[in-house]
Amino acid sequence: MSSWLEGLGSGLGQSLGQVGGSLASLTGHISNFTKDMLMEGTEEVEAEFPNSRRKEIEAIHAVLRSENERLKKLCTDLEEKHEASELQIKQQSTSYRNQLQQKEVEISHLKARQIALQEQFLKLQSAAQSAHSGAGGVPTTTASSSFGYGLSHASAFHDDGMDFGDIISSQQEINRLSNEVSRLESEVGHWRHIAQELKQNRSQEIDDHQHEMSVLQNAHQQKLTEISRRHREELSDYEERIEELENLLQQGGSGVTETDHSKIQEMQKNIQVLQTEKVESTNKIEELEDQIKDINKKLSSVENDRDVLRREQEQLNVEKRQIIEECERLKLECSKLQQSDTVTEKERILPQSTSLEEVFRLRQALSDAENEIMRLSSLNQDNSLTEDNLKLKMQVQVLEKEKSLLSQEKEELRISLSKLNNEYEVIKSTATRDTSLDSKLRDLRLNLEAKEQELNQSINEKEILVAELEELDKQNQAATKHMILIKDQLSKQQNEGDSIISKLKQDLDDEKKRVHQLEDDKMNITKELDVQKEKLIQSELVLNELHLTKQKLEDKVEDLVDQLNKSQKNNLNTQKENFELKEHIRQNEEELSRVRNELTHSLNQDSSSNFKDNILKERDAEVRYLKQNLSELEQLNENLKKVAFDLKMENEKLVLACEDIRHQLEETVAGNNQISLEKNTIVETLKMEKGQIAAELCQAEKRLLEEANKYKQTIEELSNARNLNTSALQLEHERLIKLNQEKDFEIAKLKKDIEQMDTYHKETKEILSSSLEEQKQLTQLIHEKEILIKKLEDRSSELQGELDKYSQAIRKNEILRQTIEEKDRSLGSMKEENNHLQEELERLREQQSRAVPVAEPKTLDSITGLESEVSQLNIIKDHLEEEIKHYQKIIEDQNQSKMQLLQSLQEQKKEMDEFRYQHEQMNVTHTQLFLEKDEEIKNLQKTIEQIKSQLHEERQDIQTENSDIFQETKVQSLNIENGSEKHDLSKAETEKLVKGIKERELEIKLLNEKNISLTKQIDQLSKDEVGKLTQIIQQKDLEIQALHARISSASYTQDVVYLQQQLQAYAMEREKVLAVLSEKTRENSHLKTEYHKMMDIVAAKEAALIKLQDENKKLSTRFESSSQDMFRETVQNLSRIIREKDIEIDALSQKCQTLLAVLQTSSSGNEVGGVNSNQFEELLQERDKLKQQVKKMEEWKQQVMTTVQNMQHESAQLQEELHQLQAQVLVESDNNSKLQVDYTGLIQSYEQNETKLKNFGQELAQVQHSIGQLCNTKDLLLGKLDIISPQLSSGSSLTPQSAESLRASKSDVPSESSQFVQQEIEELRKSLQEKDATIRTLQENNHRLSDSIAASSELERKKYEQTDSEIKELKEKQDILQKSLKEKDLLIKAKSDQLLLSNENFTNKVNENELLRQAVTNLKERILILEMDISKLKGENEKIVETSRGKETEYQALQETNMKFSMMLREREFECHSMKEKALAFEQLLKEKEQGKTGELNQLLNAVKSMQEKTVTFQQERDQIMLSLKQKQMENSALQNEVQRLRDKEFRLNQELERLRNHLLESEASYTREVLAAEEREAKLRKKVTVLEEKLVSSSNAMENASHQANVQVESLQEQLNVVSKQRDEIALQLSASQEQVKQYALSLANLQMVLEHFQQEEKAMYSAELEKQKQLIAEWKKKTENLEGKVISLQERLDEANAALDSASRLTEQLDLKEEQIEELKKQNELRQEMLDDVQKKLMNLVNSTEGKVDKVLMRNLFIGHFHTPKNQRHEVLRLMGSILGVKREEMEQLFNEDRGGVTRWMTGWLGGGSKSVPNTPLRPNQQSVFNSSFSELFVKFLETESHPSVPPPKLSVYDMKPLDSPGRRKLDTNVPESFKDTAESRSGRRADVNSFLAPRSAAVPLINPAGLRPGGPGHLLLKPISDVLPTFTPLPVSPDNSAGVVLKDLLKQ
């Protein structure tokens, strides 16, 4: 669209340029015509119009008519183009509107979809939270006393886990479905975006194509016009030359040089000199005519004298009668008089003869002049000067006319003389009788003598004229000599022309060389095309290699999938084996329990303890062996899990690598497509340029051939003609023809150059003038607005002060009201009191009247007191009434002021309501404007890329538009000047204009005040909106903080990750919202600037008024200097020529720039293939030559520009362009930075993929080694399971060593094979620190996968032989992958080179930006200087305005003084009249005095005085009334003016109000639109965020099944690429065919100039057909894109199915991992519980063993003391009880009782020191002897001493001396267990390793049976060990194990 419009604009510019050229030629014709008219105006004073001049005028008229018709045709063509462009614009606007509606519908659908998805997500979140709360409620640890309870609980927990897993799986499926829906939507949007981009690209290509076609058309039309013009000029020149040569042949050798223009010009100069001389002669003739007029006047005076004489004659006739008597006496005197008559007749004859002589002399002079004219005409015939002959003939005719006039005058003189003769004869007849006539006759003679003298003077003047004619002859002779000199000069010029011809030949040779260079360039371009084709082939090979690598990767992925399946099978097998082992353990434990029960029974039955100890030892050994086997199996399980984890890691890395390779493939395909498109466009442009150059060359060659043929024909014709003449003439003719041709070429070139320079100068003038005017307007506006702002501030301060005053007055009123009310109340109370007092007074008076006359003194006193009180009260009452009146007055005044205030408040409220309404409208309009601006911004962003390539054309368009605008303004100013010339403005009109200006200024001030208030309201609105947005942002921040708190509190990881992503998205949205806010503020500022621009129009009107005043001043000077008009016309013509030259120079500079760009591109492209340096040097030389020529032209231009230097200081348009360029450069830099960031991200992702591939290779090798190790360990374990031997401890220590050795062997092999790879990985890891977080999450998933694989790796041991072959295949694939990696490294290097190139380009652009910024700063400085100048000019203008106002005041004062003076004059005239009347009255008085009437005189005088006084008073009154009338008339006129001004003000204010309301509505509407657009952007950004998250989730699993489909896609895309390339070739062929057609049309246009319009119509038809073809192609492309989209949708569905399968698999794996983890935790709990049970059982056994041989001290002591306290009769019972406690049988007790009767020594000695069976192995001291005969107390004391003093010293109670209480076998097993499992075990078992045995209870701290003692070397019981090793020394008394009284003791203790 934009390109089409630009093409249309360029066409318009060219047509306007043609119009400008035609106008320039028109103005040239008009100026020549005016010059001729001015020169010939003097000749045509009283002569008729000559035929030759009429013919010339008719010819000019015909030319003007043809020009008019041509201009009309151009106007019609332009109107048609304009209508077509408007139709296209309407169609495009409708299409855009439809697209907008569709987008809005899509947005609404997507919003509904988003809301539904959000609701689903909220439901799922609530479900997940409930599930998590249910899971948390299940108890994890339970204390159980029996083993069976633990098992049952475990099974129950397992069932609960299954239910929870089902819930999680359903939730995950829902999440997955929602994610898939959103992802599909995002992919649909992506493909739509791609389709839109393709459409945009196609539209751009179509626009570019149309633009190129329009450019070609314009260039073609220009070339055709130039060729046709040259052809016409050459034809006319040839025709003129042929005519001139024919004339030369006829006349001979005399007229050889007549054809030269220089001779003709010199002849014309001579003619002009002669014309000036002729003008002088005409002036002299006019002087002679004036003299003749004087003579005529004198004759009229003579006739008057004759009339007087007639009157005297009549008197003489009366006196004749008296003189009859004297007749006789006078007869003698009559004879004398007769003699005198003869003398007078002789005298009359003499002047007649002199007049005849004068006539003869004039005839002779005329004949001489005719002879001279004949001679000059002969000379002119020789020199072809017919025009001069005609002019001389005109002069002769003028002279003949003058001669005829003179002859007529002479005839009139003769008639007058005859009349005088007749009269003289009459007088003669009377003179006989008259003597007094002699004196009169003498007077007549004197008059005749004076007339004779005058005739002599005229004769002398005639002689002077004859002398002047002789001088003209001499000048003609000098002119002939000058012609001879000119011939010599022409010969010299011919010689100079020869030299110029030689130079032109050299230029032709240079041009031929250039043509050769262009051909070389063509060859280089073809070479470049071949190189590009080779590059395309290489890129296709690289694509094929990438496809191969992709297939290999797919094979690898399939192998890995097989391995996964196998590992899963192995996992199932291992699970089955685990279950079997668990059942085996249960059976063993049941057997153990049965054995223990049997042992307890046997203990009760049998007393032999050795047998039991052996059985216990054997069982313990079996238990330990089983525990060791379990630990080994756990180790194997863990190793398998690790291996499976590694395999999962490798799998995921391979998947990621496949995805990266797919992305790279897509990127490479897209890059190749772009490269191919760019190359195709470059090739097409090169072909177009080649075709243009070839067409131009062909046209030039054809022109040269045609011109050569024409020249040959002319030469042949001339040679045929010259055969008649001599050979010398032929040689001269040929030489002259060549010279003429070369000179014509030179003249044409020079004319073109001059025209170009003129046009350029005109354009620069116009641009500068327009920029000056704009800047002046801007500065005026700024100044006015500053003044208005100051006034508004003052007004606001005044209003605030008034408001404060009013508020204070209102407060005072309220206070006064309150006081008045209080006073009213007090008055009421006082009145009541008065009434009471009056009543009391009346009562008292009645009492007084009733009372006795002799009153008491008390009553009198009371009466007097009351009277005084009454008087006082009356006084108070009067005062109060006065106060009431005063206050009522105050209240009335305050009520009036209150009413006024209320009215003012109501008015202010109304104004406020109006302002609110305007404000609301402004809000609505703002919202609309904001929405429109958003849409405009989007459109502008789309069009920015298109605009970049077309900036130069836009500059040209801008220049042409500015020139047109300047011309229009000039035309307007000229019209204004004409109008001002027609209508001379009087002083009154100027005063009216000044008043109108003042009124407009006042209106502007009011409007500005309103506008400022509105802008303040808008600013407040924008601030409120900003505040709302900041509040929204703060709410978002609070939500983010709450989410952070939830993340810190919650334990689930998926929600945390999701919330983190949401936080990032919200942060991005916040930044974008802030960016949107900044954009809105910028747009607000732009709207304000637009509003200020609208205000500039008012300033422009004021400037127009000022211009009118200036033009009125100029009118006075223009009448004085009318000769300056010609000078102005010449200056205007020069400025137009300069403009045209500037345009041509700009075009040439653009061509030079394009050529340089082509050269640079060719040089940069040819760096690969090599460039001829000679060609480049030649081009540089040519450029230098052109620069020199341009410098010469610029020097000439500067000479012309000296007249225009004042206008070259300011250029606002350049400023605006610079600002636009800066904005565009910033946008480009932003885009470049974004592209660089994207490119770096792609490189980093590619490097990550490479590192992941390398890690996969390493992990594959590790997996292979681990499989081998696992097989070895499996064989060892199977061997060990069969053998149950006491050497388990050594075996258990061997297994970890073997595992470590295997691991060492594992790590050695890959370290040797991949050292080089690891170095590269380390280098890449440094650049991949940013992506560690994502890799960690992937690693966690890989850990889960590896756990599942580790479980399934036990089955793979059996298939070890099959895996060897697979490992070999994997190694081969790894080698292939390494090769592909190397190839990709090469690609990366190439891309890095491209990056460097782009960086260099970017630095260049940055430098250019800096230069532009410097230029901008310089321009800003200039603008500041200009602003200073403008401020100075403003000050001067203000001073002038002030002076004009002062003059107006002076003028008014003068008018008033004039009025006063007129009044004074009237009064003085009245006084004069009165004085005259007084004088008359006095005269009458004098007459009456003479008569004697004195009394009446006095009365009359009194009456006269009274009348005079009355008249004086009446006159004074009349004068006063006249003055008052005039004053009222002035006041009425002023009031009428004011009324008109107020009406205008009201009208303008209404208009401004309506405009401001509309503006408010628009701004509010734009603001709402912007808000909606911002919300839509937020929604889109959120959708994008969700899409990206879904892509992150889905991309990890998407590549496994999509690679095959991608292969199919790539193959289909390749086929489509082939089809597209074929179509491109077909289009290129069509383009070449169309170019050939264009060439043919160009040739036909060159031949057929008269059929241009018809051919243009045909071209339009052709272009429309081509456009239809292009549209069909576009439709086909659209169909193909739709097919591709259908395929893409199908592929996406397949991808989604594959993703669903993968998601289900991942879910199953996750569930398996969870179940495995639960199994492991249960196993650990089982182990811990088993350990606890073992410890408890050991402690029970120890307790049983220890308590069977022990008796409680307290019990024995109580029994012993109770024995002595009991009576002697019952002591036997006590002893029996003691015996039963000690396990003595009844028989033995009876024997003892029998023996006891003899003595106590035996019992006591046996109990305290004897050696019974139950005595322990405690060592006796040497002094402790067997005393039998000692007393019981002594023995007991000794016993206590032995017990209180231990034989062994007490142990050191340190933590380091204490041995761990756990078994060493378990400790060894724990070393192999991972730390996490250790921590859990320790936490579950109460962290036994950390607990001190002293702090723990006895049962937990000290197991009495040491498990280590079961080994062959150690003792079996703790008490048999040394005490310091195990226990502190407070052991109880040992009792023999044979006794079974422990149960009795327990019962006693319980009791």
Side-chain angles (χ1 to χ4, degrees), residues 1855-1880:
V1855 180
Y1856 298 105
D1857 293 330
M1858 290 164 71
K1859 288 185 181 178
L1861 300 169
D1862 290 338
S1863 63
R1866 171 150 183 76
R1867 201 37 68 186
K1868 281 179 186 177
L1869 287 168
D1870 289 339
T1871 56
N1872 294 322
V1873 176
E1875 289 175 3
S1876 61
F1877 297 141
K1878 279 186 194 179
D1879 293 334
T1880 53

Side-chain angles (χ1 to χ4, degrees), residues 822-835:
E822 288 171 359
K823 291 284 168 75
D824 286 325
R825 287 171 193 166
S826 64
L827 267 172
S829 63
M830 291 291 280
K831 279 178 183 176
E832 286 172 358
E833 285 172 1
N834 262 325
N835 294 320

Side-chain angles (χ1 to χ4, degrees), residues 3-16 218 957 960-961:
S3 61
W4 184 85
L5 284 167
E6 282 164 3
L8 197 143
S10 63
L12 279 168
Q14 286 167 4
S15 61
L16 285 166
N218 294 324
D957 295 335
T960 53
E961 285 169 6

Side-chain angles (χ1 to χ4, degrees), residues 909-1000:
K909 279 180 186 176
K910 286 176 186 176
E911 286 176 356
M912 286 296 287
D913 292 325
E914 286 174 358
F915 279 123
R916 279 176 191 165
Y917 181 65
Q918 289 174 4
H919 177 62
E920 289 169 357
Q921 288 178 346
M922 282 281 279
N923 281 327
V924 175
T925 51
H926 270 296
T927 50
Q928 290 175 0
L929 274 169
F930 284 146
L931 289 168
E932 287 170 0
K933 293 283 171 185
D934 274 335
E935 291 169 356
E936 285 174 2
I937 287 154
K938 288 174 187 173
N939 294 321
L940 286 166
Q941 284 174 356
K942 288 178 186 175
T943 51
I944 277 159
E945 293 175 355
Q946 297 173 0
I947 290 158
K948 284 177 190 171
S949 62
Q950 296 162 1
L951 280 168
H952 299 293
E953 295 171 358
E954 284 178 355
R955 285 176 193 164
Q956 286 182 357
D957 295 335
I958 288 156
Q959 287 174 0
T960 53
E961 285 169 6
N962 289 326
S963 64
D964 295 332
I965 291 154
F966 185 70
Q967 284 176 359
E968 286 173 1
T969 52
K970 269 201 169 179
V971 171
Q972 287 173 0
S973 64
L974 285 166
N975 290 324
I976 291 155
E977 285 173 5
N978 290 323
S980 62
E981 283 172 1
K982 283 174 188 174
H983 305 288
D984 294 325
L985 289 165
S986 64
K987 287 180 182 179
E989 286 172 351
T990 53
E991 284 173 1
K992 283 178 186 177
L993 284 167
V994 169
K995 285 177 184 176
I997 289 156
K998 286 176 185 175
E999 288 167 7
R1000 283 184 184 175

Side-chain angles (χ1 to χ4, degrees), residues 580-772:
E580 287 170 0
L581 287 164
K582 280 178 185 176
E583 287 170 0
H584 188 60
I585 287 155
R586 281 180 195 168
Q587 290 170 5
N588 286 324
E589 282 170 354
E590 286 170 0
E591 286 172 1
L592 270 168
S593 62
R594 273 190 280 126
V595 168
R596 278 174 188 163
N597 291 319
E598 286 171 1
L599 275 167
T600 52
H601 287 296
S602 62
L603 280 167
N604 290 321
Q605 290 171 5
D606 303 325
S607 64
S608 60
S609 63
N610 291 318
F611 179 72
K612 287 175 188 174
D613 290 332
N614 290 321
I615 288 157
L616 281 165
K617 284 175 186 176
E618 285 172 3
R619 293 292 178 189
D620 288 325
E622 282 177 2
V623 166
R624 284 186 188 124
Y625 180 68
L626 287 166
K627 280 178 183 175
Q628 285 174 1
N629 285 327
L630 272 168
S631 64
E632 284 172 2
L633 284 166
E634 282 171 1
Q635 283 178 359
L636 286 168
N637 270 322
E638 284 164 8
N639 290 323
L640 288 167
K641 282 173 187 172
K642 283 178 185 174
V643 170
F645 172 73
D646 293 329
L647 282 167
K648 275 192 181 178
M649 286 287 286
E650 286 170 4
N651 237 336
E652 287 178 359
K653 285 174 184 174
L654 284 167
V655 166
L656 290 165
C658 290
E659 284 177 357
D660 293 326
I661 288 155
R662 188 185 70 178
H663 288 304
Q664 286 169 8
L665 262 173
E666 289 173 356
E667 286 169 3
T668 50
V669 167
N672 283 319
N673 289 324
Q674 286 178 358
I675 290 156
S676 63
L677 285 165
E678 288 170 359
K679 285 175 181 174
N680 288 326
T681 53
I682 290 157
V683 168
E684 284 171 1
T685 52
L686 287 166
K687 282 179 182 176
M688 291 285 280
E689 287 172 0
K690 216 200 330 186
Q692 288 176 6
I693 290 156
E696 286 173 0
L697 283 165
C698 293
Q699 286 175 4
E701 286 170 359
K702 284 174 184 176
R703 274 189 230 141
L704 287 165
L705 289 166
E706 286 172 1
E707 284 170 2
N709 291 321
K710 286 175 187 175
Y711 293 150
K712 282 177 186 176
Q713 289 175 3
T714 51
I715 288 156
E716 286 172 0
E717 288 170 0
L718 289 165
S719 62
N720 291 321
R722 280 179 208 141
N723 284 326
L724 302 166
N725 294 326
T726 58
S727 62
L729 281 167
Q730 285 178 353
L731 292 167
E732 283 175 359
H733 276 300
E734 288 171 357
R735 189 165 58 77
L736 285 165
I737 285 157
K738 288 177 184 175
L739 284 167
N740 283 320
Q741 289 171 1
E742 288 159 4
K743 282 176 184 175
D744 288 330
F745 282 123
E746 286 175 358
I747 287 155
K749 286 179 184 176
L750 289 164
K751 279 180 183 175
K752 286 176 191 172
D753 295 331
I754 289 155
E755 286 170 0
Q756 286 175 357
M757 295 294 279
D758 288 331
T759 52
Y760 290 148
H761 282 296
K762 284 176 188 174
E763 282 180 358
T764 49
K765 269 188 183 178
E766 287 171 357
I767 290 157
L768 287 163
S769 63
S770 63
S771 63
L772 264 171

Side-chain angles (χ1 to χ4, degrees), residues 1219-1396:
H1219 287 302
Q1220 288 173 3
L1221 286 166
Q1222 278 183 349
Q1224 287 171 2
V1225 165
L1226 288 167
V1227 172
E1228 285 176 357
S1229 64
D1230 292 329
N1231 291 323
N1232 283 322
S1233 63
K1234 286 176 186 174
L1235 289 167
Q1236 280 184 347
V1237 170
D1238 295 332
Y1239 191 68
T1240 51
L1242 288 166
I1243 287 163
Q1244 285 176 1
S1245 62
Y1246 188 73
E1247 288 170 354
Q1248 284 176 7
N1249 292 323
E1250 285 181 347
T1251 53
K1252 284 174 187 174
L1253 277 169
K1254 287 168 186 173
N1255 290 322
F1256 280 135
Q1258 290 175 5
E1259 284 166 3
L1260 267 173
Q1262 289 176 5
V1263 167
Q1264 289 165 10
H1265 288 294
S1266 65
I1267 287 157
Q1269 287 175 6
L1270 288 165
C1271 290
N1272 292 321
T1273 51
K1274 185 187 172 188
D1275 295 330
L1276 289 164
L1277 286 163
L1278 288 165
K1280 283 176 184 175
L1281 281 165
D1282 297 329
I1283 299 156
I1284 297 161
S1285 64
Q1287 295 176 353
L1288 285 164
S1289 62
S1290 65
S1292 67
S1293 66
L1294 279 166
T1295 52
Q1297 289 174 1
S1298 65
E1300 285 170 2
S1301 65
L1302 286 165
R1303 281 176 190 167
S1305 64
K1306 257 192 218 173
S1307 61
D1308 290 327
V1309 178
S1311 66
E1312 289 173 1
S1313 64
S1314 63
Q1315 284 178 354
F1316 181 74
V1317 175
Q1318 281 178 353
Q1319 289 175 1
E1320 290 178 353
I1321 289 156
E1322 286 171 0
E1323 289 175 358
L1324 291 163
R1325 275 177 189 163
K1326 289 175 184 175
S1327 65
L1328 289 171
Q1329 288 174 358
E1330 294 175 355
K1331 302 288 176 83
D1332 283 333
T1334 55
I1335 288 158
R1336 281 170 192 164
T1337 54
L1338 291 167
Q1339 280 176 355
E1340 287 173 1
N1341 293 321
N1342 289 327
H1343 280 299
R1344 290 175 187 171
L1345 286 167
S1346 64
D1347 293 332
S1348 65
I1349 290 157
S1352 67
S1353 64
E1354 284 179 0
L1355 282 168
E1356 287 183 358
R1357 292 173 194 163
K1358 294 174 185 177
K1359 298 174 183 179
Y1360 182 72
E1361 292 173 357
Q1362 294 177 0
T1363 53
D1364 288 328
S1365 62
E1366 288 174 357
I1367 286 155
K1368 286 176 186 177
E1369 288 175 359
L1370 287 164
K1371 281 179 183 177
E1372 289 172 359
K1373 287 175 183 176
Q1374 194 175 357
D1375 296 327
I1376 291 156
L1377 282 165
Q1378 284 176 355
K1379 288 177 185 176
S1380 66
L1381 282 165
K1382 286 176 185 176
E1383 289 170 358
K1384 284 170 186 173
D1385 288 327
L1386 293 167
L1387 281 167
I1388 288 157
K1389 285 176 185 175
K1391 284 180 181 177
S1392 64
D1393 294 330
Q1394 288 178 1
L1395 237 183
L1396 290 166

Side-chain angles (χ1 to χ4, degrees), residues 113 146 363 395 434 547 670 777 968 1069 1120 1200 1257 1270 1359 1412 1467 1509 1742 1840 1914:
R113 197 60 150 313
S146 66
R363 282 177 183 170
Q395 287 179 358
D434 195 358
H547 287 308
Q777 289 172 5
E968 286 173 1
E1069 283 173 5
E1120 291 171 1
V1200 180
L1270 288 165
K1359 298 174 183 179
L1412 286 166
E1467 287 172 0
E1509 286 170 359
N1742 289 322
L1840 289 168

